[in-house]
């Protein structure tokens, strides 16, 4: 049974949400009609903001029973060149903290009533991540601070979204990078946050240090260059008080790794994805004042990151294979597998689950995520369709 | 004074156009309101189709005094792989003609009343190309065949749109590749067209030959490979009777040359432009069954085509230069210069004209086309703005 806009408005308590988030009531009812605010029927019913509304972030979740709100995680702007962007963005005489940007997936963990749930960037509850969060994160933190949400990165090979094995993580780990107030989204100052997390034994992302804003670009260039070929992603540069928005900066290798991944599934990605990453390479080359040999190497890497995965995909398809991404999850409860399968269907991901395999007290489940658009496009060109 | 939709409808003679082009009247009046059909006030007044309407091509021009219609040039589909696309698209037991695809700009030349005009792809009269067409093309052709439009490529260094000097052309030349009926757009069979043009001493694009459809992919691969590093663009494969639509196929070098050009002005181009060209490289590499060394070279070339021009642009801007493209025109009449300046303003191209320079009985005018979006974006990032 589908609810109409009026029934949804009643369920949501528009007046209360309007007051708490400072959004005019008519914008909330309008958003319900246009489905910018979507009702998600799940074990915990919620409404999620598909896009920003007024000054409230997309991915914001409003829970019904018990009533609660978790603000979406704000988009972090990127700088293509460190100098003079940092001095311009932060207070030029102040200090910034530089933390590692990990290559995993962004989650927010919060206690809703007495359930600890993990929300995806889009504001859905992910059943798999929720099981993991319950396992990995000290619940006492939330019992002591029920008004806070813990924001962090889930990283490791047992990730259904961004499986990475180069961090030396065995299964999946959570690294916090932010603590915010659930309803206002107000973040905690960097050092206070790190100290509080340490008290509860919750891991934080690595802190590279505090730097004077006017010298930070030198320190950060050094940090990025020291990453070498370890595939580490980059850094997030933060106002110590967390009053000004944070800024991210990524390494060329992580850029190219993104491109390699995206071009393997070339038709399932937005075209802006490619373009932005290419631009980062050009600006970094200029900022680093590269000589001819260095540029030549960067060009080779860029070209290979684009062409080789795409050629592999075409050859695979030509050989009759299906273009898919192999991921895996590791769970304690088989119920989580079922719930996760339903969740992927809900968010429109086409996936094939293999039989769970018992390993110790856990189950490993291999999943093939099907990249339908790349399958179809490649198939059609190989069979003689014209490009357009 | 701007005309409203009702006045425009009266001027256009909607009923007549509806009958001749087989478009329902309400779609024409609707298109006038939405400005999909645009009135262009010029020496010869006309209405141009900004986009396709019903089955009539975008770029179609309807003249008022005297009344006449020149259909837009149809979009030619591209194949990324020759086999099996050609057998699928053309009659598998038939023959195709393979003509050279030149790298210049597409024009249609027609006699409207007693004026020979050159239309751009978009359906505007280009005053510069019109002067050139009057100079280069035997008018007798149109006097004998006033119902025909001559479609071809303007090529050479004195091109304000696509200046190319590698064809060994001194100034600007016209090469025909199609003869069509003005109003119906019906094309003439390939060999009949080539013979007719020869009678009038009008140059045609190069014919590589007629090939059996089921073997054409082998012949065309040979042709493209023989282009070597001459930067020639590619071929158009045509049904001899011109009943089935033509298909184009381009060389990797021309692809990369396009990319080099586009990345020099990276923010002035659509993102699909980049993406499509990258995909062509991958499919060609698979079709040509390249080994590791050949792929490595292709990757290097692709990477360099993308990064090097963009890096040059950023460095130029950093040195305080303005990002612009240097082109030139060569005219007999200074009036043409003035008209061409007005025309560029009309179509929204930002250009700076230098003083005409007398050479023989002509004037050479150097023009800087300003790529405003790339200027602004590069400037903003260099000065410390964040990417997004």
């Amino acid at each position: 049974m589908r609810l109409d806009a009026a029934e949804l408005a009643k369920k949501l308590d528009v007046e209360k949400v309007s007051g708490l988030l400072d959004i005019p009531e008519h914008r909330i009812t309008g958003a319900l009609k246009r489905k910018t605010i979507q009702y998600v029927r799940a074990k915990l019913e919620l409404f999620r903001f598909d896009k920003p509304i007024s000054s409230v972030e997309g991915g914001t979740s409003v829970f019904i029973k018990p009533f609660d709100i978790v603000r979406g995680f704000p988009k972090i702007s990127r700088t293509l060149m460190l100098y003079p962007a940092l001095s311009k963005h932060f207070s030029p005489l102040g200090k910034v903290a530089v933390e590692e940007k990990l290559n995993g997936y962004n989650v927010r963990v919060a206690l809703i009533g007495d359930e600890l749930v993990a929300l995806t960037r889009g504001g859905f509850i992910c059943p798999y991540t929720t099981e993991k969060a319950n396992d990995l994160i000290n619940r006492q933190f939330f019992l002591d601070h029920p008004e806070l949400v813990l924001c962090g990165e889930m990283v490791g090979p047992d990730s259904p979204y961004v499986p990475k094995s180069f961090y030396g993580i065995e299964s999946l780990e959570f690294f916090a990078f932010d603590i915010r107030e659930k309803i206002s989204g107000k973040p905690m100052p960097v050092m206070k946050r790190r100290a509080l997390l340490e008290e509860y034994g919750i891991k934080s992302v690595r802190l590279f240090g505090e730097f004077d804003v006017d010298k930070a670009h030198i320190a950060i260039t050094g940090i990025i260059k020291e990453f070498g070929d370890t595939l580490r992603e980059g850094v997030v540069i933060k106002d110590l008080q967390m009053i000004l928005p944070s800024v991210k900066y990524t390494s060329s290798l992580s850029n190219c790794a993104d491109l390699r991944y995206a071009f393997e599934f070339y038709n399932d990605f937005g075209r802006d994805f490619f373009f932005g990453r290419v631009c980062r390479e050009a600006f970094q080359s200029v900022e680093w004042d590269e000589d001819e040999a260095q540029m030549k190497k960067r060009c080779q890497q860029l070209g290979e990151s684009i062409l080789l995965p795409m050629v592999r995909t075409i050859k695979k398809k030509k050989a009759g294979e299906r273009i898919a991404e192999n991921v895996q999850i590791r769970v304690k409860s088989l119920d989580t597998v079922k719930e996760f399968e339903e969740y992927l269907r809900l968010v429109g991901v086409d996936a094939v689950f293999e039989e769970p395999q018992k390993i110790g007290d856990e189950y490993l489940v291999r999943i093939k995520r099907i990249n339908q658009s790349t399958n179809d496009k490649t198939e059609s060109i190989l069979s003689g369709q014209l490009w357009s």
Side-chain angles (χ1 to χ4, degrees), chain A residues 104-105 120 126-129 132 154-164 171-172 261 325-331 340 343-344 349 351 353 365-369:
Chain A
Y105 63 99
T120 64
C126 169
Y128 175 62
T129 314
K132 288 300 192 188
M154 280 287 182
V155 188
D158 292 339
S159 158
Y161 307 115
V162 187
K164 300 281 170 183
S171 171
L172 195 68
Y261 173 74
E325 190 183 354
N326 295 310
V327 296
Q328 61 184 40
I329 59 175
R330 197 180 294 255
V331 295
F340 186 58
Y343 164 72
L344 287 184
V349 171
F353 282 58
V365 184
R366 292 183 209 279
I367 303 170
K368 263 193 193 314
R369 291 182 57 168

mmCIF file of all heavy atoms in Angstrom, chain A residues 104-105 120 126-129 132 154-164 171-172 261 325-331 340 343-344 349 351 353 365-369:
data_model
loop_
_atom_site.group_PDB
_atom_site.id
_atom_site.type_symbol
_atom_site.label_atom_id
_atom_site.label_comp_id
_atom_site.label_asym_id
_atom_site.label_seq_id
_atom_site.Cartn_x
_atom_site.Cartn_y
_atom_site.Cartn_z
ATOM 1 N N GLY A 104 37.066 4.531 1.477
ATOM 2 C CA GLY A 104 36.096 3.523 1.854
ATOM 3 C C GLY A 104 34.718 4.103 1.584
ATOM 4 O O GLY A 104 34.541 4.758 0.571
ATOM 5 N N TYR A 105 33.792 3.876 2.475
ATOM 6 C CA TYR A 105 32.508 4.552 2.289
ATOM 7 C C TYR A 105 32.085 5.256 3.568
ATOM 8 O O TYR A 105 32.358 4.814 4.672
ATOM 9 C CB TYR A 105 31.430 3.618 1.738
ATOM 10 C CG TYR A 105 31.026 2.448 2.599
ATOM 11 C CD1 TYR A 105 29.888 2.495 3.394
ATOM 12 C CD2 TYR A 105 31.765 1.266 2.587
ATOM 13 C CE1 TYR A 105 29.493 1.412 4.165
ATOM 14 C CE2 TYR A 105 31.377 0.177 3.366
ATOM 15 C CZ TYR A 105 30.254 0.255 4.160
ATOM 16 O OH TYR A 105 29.869 -0.818 4.922
ATOM 17 N N THR A 120 23.804 5.441 5.362
ATOM 18 C CA THR A 120 24.651 5.717 4.203
ATOM 19 C C THR A 120 24.616 7.209 3.914
ATOM 20 O O THR A 120 23.812 7.958 4.468
ATOM 21 C CB THR A 120 24.134 4.982 2.954
ATOM 22 O OG1 THR A 120 22.847 5.506 2.627
ATOM 23 C CG2 THR A 120 24.033 3.487 3.198
ATOM 24 N N CYS A 126 21.804 1.084 6.240
ATOM 25 C CA CYS A 126 22.381 -0.081 5.568
ATOM 26 C C CYS A 126 22.443 -1.217 6.589
ATOM 27 O O CYS A 126 23.139 -1.091 7.602
ATOM 28 C CB CYS A 126 23.779 0.225 5.037
ATOM 29 S SG CYS A 126 24.638 -1.272 4.480
ATOM 30 N N PRO A 127 21.728 -2.317 6.350
ATOM 31 C CA PRO A 127 21.676 -3.395 7.345
ATOM 32 C C PRO A 127 23.047 -4.016 7.600
ATOM 33 O O PRO A 127 23.378 -4.355 8.738
ATOM 34 C CB PRO A 127 20.738 -4.431 6.718
ATOM 35 C CG PRO A 127 20.045 -3.735 5.597
ATOM 36 C CD PRO A 127 20.923 -2.614 5.163
ATOM 37 N N TYR A 128 23.850 -4.132 6.540
ATOM 38 C CA TYR A 128 25.173 -4.732 6.707
ATOM 39 C C TYR A 128 26.056 -3.834 7.565
ATOM 40 O O TYR A 128 26.674 -4.276 8.541
ATOM 41 C CB TYR A 128 25.822 -4.978 5.345
ATOM 42 C CG TYR A 128 27.243 -5.475 5.439
ATOM 43 C CD1 TYR A 128 27.536 -6.687 6.050
ATOM 44 C CD2 TYR A 128 28.304 -4.726 4.927
ATOM 45 C CE1 TYR A 128 28.836 -7.153 6.144
ATOM 46 C CE2 TYR A 128 29.608 -5.184 5.016
ATOM 47 C CZ TYR A 128 29.868 -6.401 5.630
ATOM 48 O OH TYR A 128 31.168 -6.850 5.725
ATOM 49 N N THR A 129 26.118 -2.553 7.190
ATOM 50 C CA THR A 129 26.954 -1.621 7.937
ATOM 51 C C THR A 129 26.462 -1.490 9.373
ATOM 52 O O THR A 129 27.254 -1.292 10.296
ATOM 53 C CB THR A 129 26.968 -0.258 7.227
ATOM 54 O OG1 THR A 129 27.165 -0.461 5.829
ATOM 55 C CG2 THR A 129 28.075 0.619 7.762
ATOM 56 N N LYS A 132 27.861 -4.309 11.309
ATOM 57 C CA LYS A 132 29.283 -4.066 11.536
ATOM 58 C C LYS A 132 29.506 -2.986 12.589
ATOM 59 O O LYS A 132 30.399 -3.098 13.438
ATOM 60 C CB LYS A 132 29.961 -3.654 10.225
ATOM 61 C CG LYS A 132 30.114 -4.808 9.244
ATOM 62 C CD LYS A 132 30.959 -5.889 9.866
ATOM 63 C CE LYS A 132 31.399 -6.934 8.876
ATOM 64 N NZ LYS A 132 32.063 -8.057 9.536
ATOM 65 N N MET A 154 34.061 3.474 6.557
ATOM 66 C CA MET A 154 34.150 2.013 6.670
ATOM 67 C C MET A 154 35.142 1.560 5.599
ATOM 68 O O MET A 154 34.950 1.851 4.410
ATOM 69 C CB MET A 154 32.802 1.367 6.407
ATOM 70 C CG MET A 154 31.854 1.404 7.579
ATOM 71 S SD MET A 154 32.374 0.226 8.878
ATOM 72 C CE MET A 154 31.043 0.463 10.072
ATOM 73 N N VAL A 155 36.185 0.872 6.016
ATOM 74 C CA VAL A 155 37.282 0.557 5.110
ATOM 75 C C VAL A 155 37.693 -0.910 5.232
ATOM 76 O O VAL A 155 37.749 -1.433 6.334
ATOM 77 C CB VAL A 155 38.530 1.415 5.455
ATOM 78 C CG1 VAL A 155 39.615 1.234 4.410
ATOM 79 C CG2 VAL A 155 38.156 2.887 5.579
ATOM 80 N N GLY A 156 37.980 -1.511 4.087
ATOM 81 C CA GLY A 156 38.492 -2.876 4.127
ATOM 82 C C GLY A 156 37.933 -3.731 3.005
ATOM 83 O O GLY A 156 37.084 -3.288 2.245
ATOM 84 N N PRO A 157 38.443 -4.955 2.896
ATOM 85 C CA PRO A 157 38.024 -5.814 1.781
ATOM 86 C C PRO A 157 36.572 -6.307 1.893
ATOM 87 O O PRO A 157 35.949 -6.573 0.866
ATOM 88 C CB PRO A 157 39.017 -6.978 1.835
ATOM 89 C CG PRO A 157 39.574 -6.964 3.219
ATOM 90 C CD PRO A 157 39.528 -5.548 3.695
ATOM 91 N N ASP A 158 36.029 -6.429 3.087
ATOM 92 C CA ASP A 158 34.651 -6.917 3.228
ATOM 93 C C ASP A 158 33.666 -5.768 3.112
ATOM 94 O O ASP A 158 32.776 -5.590 3.957
ATOM 95 C CB ASP A 158 34.475 -7.652 4.566
ATOM 96 C CG ASP A 158 35.255 -8.957 4.602
ATOM 97 O OD1 ASP A 158 35.584 -9.481 3.504
ATOM 98 O OD2 ASP A 158 35.533 -9.440 5.708
ATOM 99 N N SER A 159 33.855 -4.960 2.081
ATOM 100 C CA SER A 159 32.996 -3.801 1.858
ATOM 101 C C SER A 159 32.192 -4.023 0.589
ATOM 102 O O SER A 159 32.767 -4.294 -0.463
ATOM 103 C CB SER A 159 33.864 -2.540 1.712
ATOM 104 O OG SER A 159 33.156 -1.539 1.028
ATOM 105 N N PRO A 160 30.881 -3.929 0.666
ATOM 106 C CA PRO A 160 30.078 -4.155 -0.540
ATOM 107 C C PRO A 160 30.099 -2.958 -1.489
ATOM 108 O O PRO A 160 29.636 -3.064 -2.614
ATOM 109 C CB PRO A 160 28.673 -4.375 0.015
ATOM 110 C CG PRO A 160 28.656 -3.661 1.329
ATOM 111 C CD PRO A 160 30.056 -3.673 1.853
ATOM 112 N N TYR A 161 30.632 -1.827 -1.027
ATOM 113 C CA TYR A 161 30.602 -0.610 -1.841
ATOM 114 C C TYR A 161 31.981 -0.271 -2.408
ATOM 115 O O TYR A 161 32.138 -0.045 -3.598
ATOM 116 C CB TYR A 161 30.077 0.570 -1.018
ATOM 117 C CG TYR A 161 28.755 0.293 -0.343
ATOM 118 C CD1 TYR A 161 28.653 0.258 1.043
ATOM 119 C CD2 TYR A 161 27.613 0.042 -1.089
ATOM 120 C CE1 TYR A 161 27.434 0.003 1.668
ATOM 121 C CE2 TYR A 161 26.390 -0.223 -0.469
ATOM 122 C CZ TYR A 161 26.316 -0.240 0.906
ATOM 123 O OH TYR A 161 25.123 -0.496 1.516
ATOM 124 N N VAL A 162 32.976 -0.179 -1.543
ATOM 125 C CA VAL A 162 34.320 0.226 -1.971
ATOM 126 C C VAL A 162 35.329 -0.749 -1.365
ATOM 127 O O VAL A 162 35.951 -0.463 -0.357
ATOM 128 C CB VAL A 162 34.625 1.671 -1.498
ATOM 129 C CG1 VAL A 162 35.943 2.159 -2.077
ATOM 130 C CG2 VAL A 162 33.497 2.619 -1.847
ATOM 131 N N PRO A 163 35.453 -1.918 -1.980
ATOM 132 C CA PRO A 163 36.333 -2.927 -1.379
ATOM 133 C C PRO A 163 37.802 -2.607 -1.650
ATOM 134 O O PRO A 163 38.222 -2.556 -2.800
ATOM 135 C CB PRO A 163 35.918 -4.217 -2.100
ATOM 136 C CG PRO A 163 35.306 -3.779 -3.391
ATOM 137 C CD PRO A 163 34.828 -2.372 -3.216
ATOM 138 N N LYS A 164 38.556 -2.348 -0.602
ATOM 139 C CA LYS A 164 39.977 -2.007 -0.750
ATOM 140 C C LYS A 164 40.764 -2.882 0.197
ATOM 141 O O LYS A 164 40.424 -2.993 1.365
ATOM 142 C CB LYS A 164 40.223 -0.539 -0.363
ATOM 143 C CG LYS A 164 39.461 0.462 -1.196
ATOM 144 C CD LYS A 164 40.116 0.687 -2.526
ATOM 145 C CE LYS A 164 39.192 1.513 -3.415
ATOM 146 N NZ LYS A 164 39.708 1.722 -4.738
ATOM 147 N N SER A 171 39.112 -7.401 7.638
ATOM 148 C CA SER A 171 37.713 -7.500 7.190
ATOM 149 C C SER A 171 37.167 -6.102 6.901
ATOM 150 O O SER A 171 37.208 -5.633 5.769
ATOM 151 C CB SER A 171 36.889 -8.212 8.266
ATOM 152 O OG SER A 171 35.528 -8.137 7.957
ATOM 153 N N LEU A 172 36.706 -5.415 7.931
ATOM 154 C CA LEU A 172 36.161 -4.069 7.743
ATOM 155 C C LEU A 172 36.408 -3.305 9.036
ATOM 156 O O LEU A 172 36.234 -3.858 10.118
ATOM 157 C CB LEU A 172 34.654 -4.163 7.441
ATOM 158 C CG LEU A 172 33.946 -2.937 6.869
ATOM 159 C CD1 LEU A 172 34.426 -2.641 5.453
ATOM 160 C CD2 LEU A 172 32.433 -3.126 6.879
ATOM 161 N N TYR A 261 38.849 2.365 -12.025
ATOM 162 C CA TYR A 261 37.633 1.720 -11.568
ATOM 163 C C TYR A 261 36.441 2.181 -12.418
ATOM 164 O O TYR A 261 35.644 1.372 -12.896
ATOM 165 C CB TYR A 261 37.428 2.070 -10.097
ATOM 166 C CG TYR A 261 36.122 1.608 -9.538
ATOM 167 C CD1 TYR A 261 35.906 0.255 -9.271
ATOM 168 C CD2 TYR A 261 35.093 2.500 -9.283
ATOM 169 C CE1 TYR A 261 34.703 -0.182 -8.760
ATOM 170 C CE2 TYR A 261 33.887 2.074 -8.778
ATOM 171 C CZ TYR A 261 33.697 0.731 -8.518
ATOM 172 O OH TYR A 261 32.493 0.301 -8.029
ATOM 173 N N GLU A 325 31.029 -6.503 -10.755
ATOM 174 C CA GLU A 325 32.058 -6.218 -9.778
ATOM 175 C C GLU A 325 31.915 -7.228 -8.652
ATOM 176 O O GLU A 325 30.807 -7.421 -8.135
ATOM 177 C CB GLU A 325 31.824 -4.800 -9.262
ATOM 178 C CG GLU A 325 32.935 -4.275 -8.432
ATOM 179 C CD GLU A 325 32.570 -2.898 -7.924
ATOM 180 O OE1 GLU A 325 31.520 -2.379 -8.330
ATOM 181 O OE2 GLU A 325 33.321 -2.359 -7.120
ATOM 182 N N ASN A 326 33.012 -7.862 -8.296
ATOM 183 C CA ASN A 326 32.956 -8.851 -7.226
ATOM 184 C C ASN A 326 33.222 -8.182 -5.892
ATOM 185 O O ASN A 326 34.275 -7.574 -5.702
ATOM 186 C CB ASN A 326 33.991 -9.944 -7.469
ATOM 187 C CG ASN A 326 33.662 -10.720 -8.727
ATOM 188 O OD1 ASN A 326 32.527 -11.175 -8.909
ATOM 189 N ND2 ASN A 326 34.622 -10.829 -9.622
ATOM 190 N N VAL A 327 32.257 -8.273 -4.999
ATOM 191 C CA VAL A 327 32.464 -7.738 -3.661
ATOM 192 C C VAL A 327 32.072 -8.847 -2.681
ATOM 193 O O VAL A 327 31.591 -9.907 -3.089
ATOM 194 C CB VAL A 327 31.620 -6.470 -3.406
ATOM 195 C CG1 VAL A 327 32.049 -5.343 -4.326
ATOM 196 C CG2 VAL A 327 30.138 -6.743 -3.560
ATOM 197 N N GLN A 328 32.324 -8.580 -1.408
ATOM 198 C CA GLN A 328 31.923 -9.588 -0.428
ATOM 199 C C GLN A 328 31.567 -8.931 0.891
ATOM 200 O O GLN A 328 32.004 -7.814 1.179
ATOM 201 C CB GLN A 328 33.052 -10.609 -0.220
ATOM 202 C CG GLN A 328 34.336 -9.988 0.303
ATOM 203 C CD GLN A 328 35.452 -11.016 0.403
ATOM 204 O OE1 GLN A 328 35.601 -11.869 -0.469
ATOM 205 N NE2 GLN A 328 36.240 -10.938 1.478
ATOM 206 N N ILE A 329 30.733 -9.620 1.624
ATOM 207 C CA ILE A 329 30.404 -9.161 2.976
ATOM 208 C C ILE A 329 30.675 -10.330 3.936
ATOM 209 O O ILE A 329 30.737 -11.489 3.521
ATOM 210 C CB ILE A 329 28.932 -8.682 3.095
ATOM 211 C CG1 ILE A 329 27.967 -9.805 2.715
ATOM 212 C CG2 ILE A 329 28.690 -7.461 2.209
ATOM 213 C CD1 ILE A 329 26.497 -9.425 2.931
ATOM 214 N N ARG A 330 30.857 -9.985 5.193
ATOM 215 C CA ARG A 330 31.138 -11.007 6.211
ATOM 216 C C ARG A 330 30.242 -10.691 7.404
ATOM 217 O O ARG A 330 30.340 -9.598 7.971
ATOM 218 C CB ARG A 330 32.617 -10.913 6.603
ATOM 219 C CG ARG A 330 33.177 -12.123 7.320
ATOM 220 C CD ARG A 330 34.641 -11.901 7.661
ATOM 221 N NE ARG A 330 35.471 -11.811 6.472
ATOM 222 C CZ ARG A 330 36.287 -12.793 6.042
ATOM 223 N NH1 ARG A 330 36.364 -13.921 6.722
ATOM 224 N NH2 ARG A 330 37.007 -12.629 4.952
ATOM 225 N N VAL A 331 29.344 -11.588 7.701
ATOM 226 C CA VAL A 331 28.318 -11.300 8.718
ATOM 227 C C VAL A 331 28.256 -12.386 9.777
ATOM 228 O O VAL A 331 28.667 -13.524 9.556
ATOM 229 C CB VAL A 331 26.922 -11.186 8.066
ATOM 230 C CG1 VAL A 331 26.853 -10.000 7.128
ATOM 231 C CG2 VAL A 331 26.557 -12.469 7.318
ATOM 232 N N PHE A 340 20.160 -7.201 3.728
ATOM 233 C CA PHE A 340 21.032 -6.442 2.829
ATOM 234 C C PHE A 340 20.605 -6.640 1.367
ATOM 235 O O PHE A 340 20.636 -5.709 0.563
ATOM 236 C CB PHE A 340 22.496 -6.875 3.032
ATOM 237 C CG PHE A 340 23.475 -6.044 2.261
ATOM 238 C CD1 PHE A 340 23.541 -4.669 2.440
ATOM 239 C CD2 PHE A 340 24.327 -6.622 1.316
ATOM 240 C CE1 PHE A 340 24.442 -3.897 1.721
ATOM 241 C CE2 PHE A 340 25.217 -5.861 0.596
ATOM 242 C CZ PHE A 340 25.278 -4.495 0.795
ATOM 243 N N TYR A 343 17.728 -4.458 0.863
ATOM 244 C CA TYR A 343 18.183 -3.075 0.819
ATOM 245 C C TYR A 343 18.753 -2.726 -0.557
ATOM 246 O O TYR A 343 18.431 -1.683 -1.131
ATOM 247 C CB TYR A 343 19.220 -2.842 1.923
ATOM 248 C CG TYR A 343 20.017 -1.591 1.727
ATOM 249 C CD1 TYR A 343 19.438 -0.337 1.928
ATOM 250 C CD2 TYR A 343 21.343 -1.644 1.303
ATOM 251 C CE1 TYR A 343 20.168 0.826 1.716
ATOM 252 C CE2 TYR A 343 22.078 -0.497 1.094
ATOM 253 C CZ TYR A 343 21.484 0.728 1.304
ATOM 254 O OH TYR A 343 22.198 1.871 1.088
ATOM 255 N N LEU A 344 19.582 -3.603 -1.119
ATOM 256 C CA LEU A 344 20.162 -3.324 -2.443
ATOM 257 C C LEU A 344 19.058 -3.218 -3.502
ATOM 258 O O LEU A 344 19.110 -2.380 -4.399
ATOM 259 C CB LEU A 344 21.176 -4.400 -2.847
ATOM 260 C CG LEU A 344 22.512 -4.393 -2.117
ATOM 261 C CD1 LEU A 344 23.440 -5.450 -2.696
ATOM 262 C CD2 LEU A 344 23.196 -3.023 -2.183
ATOM 263 N N VAL A 349 20.228 -1.413 -6.840
ATOM 264 C CA VAL A 349 21.477 -2.054 -7.259
ATOM 265 C C VAL A 349 21.161 -3.491 -7.670
ATOM 266 O O VAL A 349 20.500 -4.224 -6.937
ATOM 267 C CB VAL A 349 22.513 -2.054 -6.111
ATOM 268 C CG1 VAL A 349 23.718 -2.916 -6.464
ATOM 269 C CG2 VAL A 349 22.932 -0.633 -5.796
ATOM 270 N N ALA A 351 22.208 -7.071 -8.060
ATOM 271 C CA ALA A 351 23.268 -7.885 -7.457
ATOM 272 C C ALA A 351 22.859 -9.345 -7.362
ATOM 273 O O ALA A 351 21.691 -9.658 -7.176
ATOM 274 C CB ALA A 351 23.601 -7.346 -6.066
ATOM 275 N N PHE A 353 23.721 -12.751 -5.235
ATOM 276 C CA PHE A 353 24.363 -13.241 -4.010
ATOM 277 C C PHE A 353 24.705 -14.725 -4.157
ATOM 278 O O PHE A 353 23.859 -15.509 -4.551
ATOM 279 C CB PHE A 353 23.402 -13.078 -2.821
ATOM 280 C CG PHE A 353 23.330 -11.667 -2.286
ATOM 281 C CD1 PHE A 353 22.952 -10.605 -3.104
ATOM 282 C CD2 PHE A 353 23.627 -11.400 -0.955
ATOM 283 C CE1 PHE A 353 22.882 -9.305 -2.613
ATOM 284 C CE2 PHE A 353 23.561 -10.108 -0.456
ATOM 285 C CZ PHE A 353 23.184 -9.052 -1.285
ATOM 286 N N VAL A 365 29.862 -13.923 2.295
ATOM 287 C CA VAL A 365 28.945 -13.997 1.155
ATOM 288 C C VAL A 365 29.547 -13.198 0.007
ATOM 289 O O VAL A 365 29.800 -12.000 0.136
ATOM 290 C CB VAL A 365 27.549 -13.424 1.497
ATOM 291 C CG1 VAL A 365 26.604 -13.610 0.314
ATOM 292 C CG2 VAL A 365 26.995 -14.087 2.737
ATOM 293 N N ARG A 366 29.814 -13.886 -1.103
ATOM 294 C CA ARG A 366 30.321 -13.196 -2.289
ATOM 295 C C ARG A 366 29.140 -12.661 -3.087
ATOM 296 O O ARG A 366 28.118 -13.339 -3.225
ATOM 297 C CB ARG A 366 31.133 -14.155 -3.151
ATOM 298 C CG ARG A 366 32.431 -14.570 -2.489
ATOM 299 C CD ARG A 366 33.269 -15.474 -3.375
ATOM 300 N NE ARG A 366 34.089 -16.367 -2.577
ATOM 301 C CZ ARG A 366 35.254 -16.016 -2.013
ATOM 302 N NH1 ARG A 366 35.738 -14.805 -2.195
ATOM 303 N NH2 ARG A 366 35.936 -16.880 -1.271
ATOM 304 N N ILE A 367 29.313 -11.442 -3.587
ATOM 305 C CA ILE A 367 28.214 -10.767 -4.300
ATOM 306 C C ILE A 367 28.755 -10.250 -5.627
ATOM 307 O O ILE A 367 29.856 -9.693 -5.683
ATOM 308 C CB ILE A 367 27.685 -9.568 -3.464
ATOM 309 C CG1 ILE A 367 27.225 -10.052 -2.074
ATOM 310 C CG2 ILE A 367 26.553 -8.851 -4.184
ATOM 311 C CD1 ILE A 367 26.913 -8.912 -1.103
ATOM 312 N N LYS A 368 27.999 -10.450 -6.684
ATOM 313 C CA LYS A 368 28.333 -9.855 -7.985
ATOM 314 C C LYS A 368 27.425 -8.659 -8.187
ATOM 315 O O LYS A 368 26.208 -8.811 -8.297
ATOM 316 C CB LYS A 368 28.054 -10.863 -9.106
ATOM 317 C CG LYS A 368 29.264 -11.642 -9.570
ATOM 318 C CD LYS A 368 28.956 -12.363 -10.866
ATOM 319 C CE LYS A 368 30.016 -13.399 -11.211
ATOM 320 N NZ LYS A 368 31.404 -12.981 -11.076
ATOM 321 N N ARG A 369 28.004 -7.483 -8.231
ATOM 322 C CA ARG A 369 27.194 -6.291 -8.558
ATOM 323 C C ARG A 369 27.232 -6.129 -10.071
ATOM 324 O O ARG A 369 28.285 -6.007 -10.677
ATOM 325 C CB ARG A 369 27.784 -5.040 -7.907
ATOM 326 C CG ARG A 369 27.639 -5.046 -6.400
ATOM 327 C CD ARG A 369 28.187 -3.768 -5.805
ATOM 328 N NE ARG A 369 27.534 -2.588 -6.374
ATOM 329 C CZ ARG A 369 27.661 -1.371 -5.882
ATOM 330 N NH1 ARG A 369 28.418 -1.153 -4.824
ATOM 331 N NH2 ARG A 369 27.050 -0.357 -6.454
#
